Amino acid sequence: MIRVLKALGAEPTPSRPGPGPVPEGLLKALELTIARRVDGLLAGDHRSALLGRGTELAQVRPYVPGDDVRLIDWNVTARTTEPHVRVHLAERVLVTWIVLDLSPSMAFGTAARRKADVALGVTLAIGHAATVRGNRVGLVGFGGATERVLPPTQGRAGLVGLLLALRDGYEPDGSSGMPLAEALTRVAGAARQRALVVVVSDFRGPRDWRRPLLRLAGRHQVVAMEVRDPREQALEPVGTLWLVDPESGHELQVDTNDGKLRARFAEAAAEERTAVARELTSAGVAHVALSTDRDWLRDLAVFLRRKRR
């Protein structure tokens, strides 16, 4: 992904370290690259429990006048000497809502990529899987310069169009936009039918999103894709540093050569992430953590295959 960013001129600069506006060519290139890897791993049809036209066989029953003769099962008819028809599970359109974090903390990254790069890739991967067979995907961006609820659209081209509408970049440190709690409330109001809601975020900042998340999970299937960076969990001994909270803009000078300080930092960071995971699990939300220093797409595929089983 980083090579594609550089090739298309989207490499960060010292004056603007965040992702910034993403060119349309970059989004299309990333979509094609991710689609090749995700095909066969994440794709799948969504079927309802209703009987009707579809591809998955529900039962074979005796023919009654008025049945479509094209549905006659000739093998069963031959064995029983009585006409039988095939009844399939009806397929219905699945609507997926992706709630994408555009807050300043997502522009952070110390490994092969930034958290924003992982979030963009996850959005493209989920969108690719969610738009097969006429299914639709909608997008809500929160915490950044663009705050819009974009209606569900069919096809991968529609997904790229949604992302292009949210490519205005990330707010500078201390200037977050719409909070996650409000974004979840907007999705709850916009999702009229039962849907799949995928929240792609680092879940940093105040945890005031529990109540709207509970309401949303009570009606829809919700999945939390947490994006992490290893330096958020542990400090390296590199001397005196100024640490900045991108969400609030608060600065703190620390001596990273202090072993006790590093131990306290690691302990507090682990406890904070454990608390986030506990909040998500208690709300009935499926949760997976994806890191900037790992093959996030492989980890995502393993998680989704496990949830499908």
Side-chain angles (χ1 to χ4, degrees):
M1 182 178 293
I2 296 298
R3 289 196 297 269
V4 178
L5 285 166
K6 292 180 178 179
L8 293 176
E11 188 177 5
T13 62
S15 62
R16 185 165 189 174
V22 182
E24 182 176 358
L26 168 62
L27 283 174
K28 291 182 177 179
L30 286 178
E31 198 281 328
L32 289 174
T33 301
I34 291 173
R36 293 190 185 101
R37 289 194 61 192
V38 80
D39 276 338
L41 293 176
L42 306 181
D45 296 334
H46 184 82
R47 298 178 177 86
S48 72
L50 302 176
L51 298 180
R53 292 290 181 86
T55 58
E56 183 174 330
L57 180 64
Q59 61 177 319
V60 177
R61 60 166 176 78
Y63 173 88
V64 296
D67 285 338
D68 190 342
V69 295
R70 293 173 297 180
L71 299 179
I72 292 178
D73 189 315
W74 295 106
N75 291 329
V76 177
T77 298
R79 289 197 302 270
T80 62
T81 68
E82 180 183 356
H84 280 70
V85 295
R86 299 169 63 90
V87 181
H88 297 91
L89 287 176
E91 294 182 355
R92 62 179 173 87
V93 172
L94 171 67
V95 176
T96 299
W97 286 90
I98 301 176
V99 184
L100 178 61
D101 192 344
L102 300 172
S103 63
S105 63
M106 294 297 289
F108 181 76
T110 61
R113 56 192 64 85
R114 296 160 296 182
K115 291 190 290 183
D117 300 326
V118 176
L120 176 62
V122 170
T123 301
L124 289 171
I126 295 296
H128 175 79
T131 53
V132 297
R133 297 289 181 91
N135 293 330
R136 297 179 293 162
V137 61
L139 188 65
V140 176
F142 72 94
T146 302
E147 300 177 359
R148 281 188 293 176
V149 178
L150 302 171
T153 309
Q154 289 184 345
R156 298 198 302 266
L159 172 65
V160 173
L162 296 179
L163 288 173
L164 285 172
L166 293 175
R167 64 175 181 171
D168 294 338
Y170 288 59
E171 294 280 16
D173 289 348
S175 303
S176 297
M178 177 172 60
L180 174 56
E182 183 179 342
L184 296 175
T185 301
R186 291 195 182 187
V187 173
R192 301 186 180 279
Q193 70 180 71
R194 181 171 172 82
L196 170 64
V197 180
V198 181
V199 183
V200 185
S201 173
D202 59 2
F203 296 95
R204 297 283 169 178
R207 291 198 293 273
D208 56 354
W209 37 260
R210 174 173 169 76
R211 184 166 296 180
L213 183 64
L214 279 170
R215 289 197 296 266
L216 191 66
R219 184 181 177 190
H220 306 281
Q221 181 181 359
V222 182
V223 179
M225 305 286 181
E226 179 192 351
V227 185
R228 296 180 179 179
D229 186 88
R231 291 285 70 79
E232 294 175 319
Q233 303 304 118
L235 292 175
E236 291 291 325
V238 293
T240 302
L241 291 178
W242 279 98
L243 302 182
V244 182
D245 181 354
E247 300 293 335
S248 65
H250 179 70
E251 297 182 1
L252 178 66
Q253 188 179 39
V254 298
D255 179 11
T256 60
N257 289 329
D258 186 338
K260 292 183 178 179
L261 182 143
R262 294 199 308 273
R264 292 198 305 270
F265 180 91
E267 182 181 359
E271 289 178 356
E272 191 267 343
R273 289 296 93 184
T274 299
V276 169
R278 189 184 305 116
E279 293 275 12
L280 295 171
T281 303
S282 64
V285 174
H287 169 235
V288 61
L290 306 173
S291 181
T292 59
D293 64 342
R294 291 177 53 87
D295 185 346
W296 61 266
L297 185 54
R298 183 181 298 275
D299 293 340
L300 175 63
V302 170
F303 167 77
L304 292 181
R305 286 202 302 269
R306 185 182 303 119
K307 294 304 296 182
R308 288 174 64 183
R309 287 197 295 267

